[in-house]
Amino acid sequence: MSDEPREVPTLDDTVRRKVLGLIGLGARGRLIVVGAERVAIEAGKGKVVLAVVASDVSRHSLEKVVPVLRARRIETLEWPSAAELGGAVGRDTTAAIGIVDQALARGIRSAVAGATPAGDATRVSR
């Protein structure tokens, strides 16, 4: 398995809202961790099963989390906006969200896999 991002269909508004809704549910159920530092820590412990990383954040924020995710071979969904991602969890912005629940991760993967071409580019990588 390579570390190179794997292209997936871009997400239309319906799929984006569904994924953000699932992330919001995960936040309320404490099934996620929020923030690059927390995601990196929990990924290092082996608790993160899927990560969502905003592509428009600083290089410094990405350097905190992306190497750990790659080293642990955690599937990563690249999200176009830190503001949109943060809004799903009640923050102004966030660089990364780690999903720690298998069922929630499965639901997000399923929503992304069923995406039809439209909207912003979003990639999934391992």
Side-chain angles (χ1 to χ4, degrees):
M1 203 178 308
S2 79
D3 288 339
E4 293 301 312
R6 187 178 46 155
E7 292 293 329
V8 297
T10 55
L11 305 179
D12 63 20
D13 286 341
T14 304
V15 174
R16 287 169 68 137
R17 281 193 305 272
K18 182 173 183 175
V19 170
L20 291 171
L22 288 169
I23 289 171
L25 285 172
R28 288 186 290 283
R30 295 184 176 173
L31 304 174
I32 67 170
V33 291
V34 180
E37 192 169 323
R38 290 235 16 242
V39 172
I41 290 167
E42 296 302 317
K45 293 177 182 178
K47 294 185 178 182
V48 175
V49 294
L50 174 69
V52 184
V53 178
S55 62
D56 65 345
V57 297
S58 71
R59 182 175 51 93
H60 177 68
S61 292
L62 292 176
E63 287 173 352
K64 283 183 184 179
V65 69
V66 172
V68 177
L69 296 172
R70 284 189 177 150
R72 301 288 288 185
R73 296 192 180 269
I74 296 170
E75 185 175 5
T76 303
L77 173 65
E78 185 176 314
W79 205 260
S81 165
E84 189 177 49
L85 200 53
V89 295
R91 293 188 178 188
D92 290 337
T93 63
T94 191
I97 291 176
I99 312 299
V100 297
D101 180 72
Q102 286 285 352
L104 180 60
R106 198 169 31 253
I108 291 172
R109 285 185 193 111
S110 175
V112 171
T116 56
D120 293 323
T122 303
R123 298 180 293 178
V124 174
S125 66
R126 284 194 188 260

